Amino acid sequence: MDTAFELAAIAAVAFTVGLSGALTPGPLTVLAIREATVFGVRAGPLATLGHAIAEGVTVVVLALGLSAALDDESPLTAVIALVGGGILVYLGVDLFRTLPRAELTPAFVTAPGETTASARRVVLLGILVSVGNPYWVIWWASVGTKLTADSLDAGFAGPVAVFGGHIVSDLAWLTLMAWLVHSGRRWFGRRAYRGLLAVCGVFLLGLGAYFVASGIVFLR
């Protein structure tokens, strides 16, 4: 098989598998939706950048053997569930705390220093909500590790294709969500926007509570 075609096929598989996960509502999607009122469509790429940084580190860690340490009997699994669940609960509570002030009116920052600082904040949040999602870590410890291992048949370019295809799927989805919220100010009113955020908040609280409960069960 031609190398370029093989790498394209690997990236396509990674894109499809990654998109199936991206389409499931999660904290990263909530972040892109929430920050779209400030950064517009740019919220998608900024959140994706933070996510990509976290994933790059995770891939390296998994290559060093973390995937073998994650199973139903491992204390590490319980720690990931408890810490990650706690972070998701905090994000859900914080979302409800700011809900009464949530507006769809764009609040673009004009001062260059503030803009840079705010952009860095979104990237940092992209990292935090990624590593705070236990399912994301477990996904890379299982499906992601398998895809990466299989791609090594194409040499070192194989894992790069897996990583690239996966990130492009996240970028496409998060940018689409940011664009819908940002461009939808003309037809997406305050009540509907706050309702969407409330649904996201309930999702974060429920998912976080589930992870915490799972961690407690793992420790028994």
Side-chain angles (χ1 to χ4, degrees):
M1 180 184 296
D2 181 75
T3 302
F5 180 81
E6 184 177 6
L7 292 175
I10 291 172
V13 170
F15 176 87
T16 303
V17 174
L19 190 62
S20 67
L23 291 175
T24 303
L28 199 64
T29 299
V30 174
L31 176 64
I33 290 174
R34 187 173 182 175
E35 298 297 332
T37 58
V38 177
F39 292 95
V41 178
R42 290 183 299 155
L46 287 172
T48 303
L49 175 58
H51 185 63
I53 292 171
E55 290 203 325
V57 174
T58 300
V59 169
V60 172
V61 172
L62 290 177
L64 297 176
L66 178 59
S67 59
L70 288 176
D71 57 58
D72 290 342
E73 303 298 327
S74 171
L76 181 59
T77 301
V79 172
I80 291 172
L82 289 171
V83 174
I87 292 175
L88 295 183
V89 169
Y90 169 79
L91 291 174
V93 171
D94 184 64
L95 193 154
F96 275 106
R97 182 180 62 82
T98 60
L99 193 60
R101 302 191 301 274
E103 297 287 347
L104 271 171
T105 303
F108 292 100
V109 182
T110 55
E114 293 180 3
T115 302
T116 302
S118 298
R120 285 200 296 264
R121 177 182 61 82
V122 178
V123 173
L124 177 60
L125 285 173
I127 297 173
L128 292 177
V129 298
S130 295
V131 300
N133 186 346
Y135 277 170
W136 173 78
V137 178
I138 294 172
W139 187 92
W140 271 106
S142 54
V143 179
T145 299
K146 183 66 166 61
L147 289 174
T148 303
D150 291 346
S151 71
L152 286 172
D153 291 339
F156 288 112
V160 175
V162 170
F163 182 76
H166 185 78
I167 289 300
V168 169
S169 69
D170 291 319
L171 176 63
W173 172 250
L174 296 176
T175 302
L176 174 62
M177 290 295 98
W179 176 80
L180 286 175
V181 171
H182 177 65
S183 65
R185 292 196 312 274
R186 294 183 292 272
W187 49 267
F188 198 61
R190 177 193 298 174
R191 181 176 299 179
Y193 175 61
R194 290 180 178 177
L196 175 59
L197 288 181
V199 171
C200 291
V202 171
F203 170 79
L204 290 180
L205 288 173
L207 188 62
Y210 171 76
F211 286 153
V212 170
S214 298
I216 294 174
V217 171
F218 285 143
L219 290 176
R220 291 181 178 176

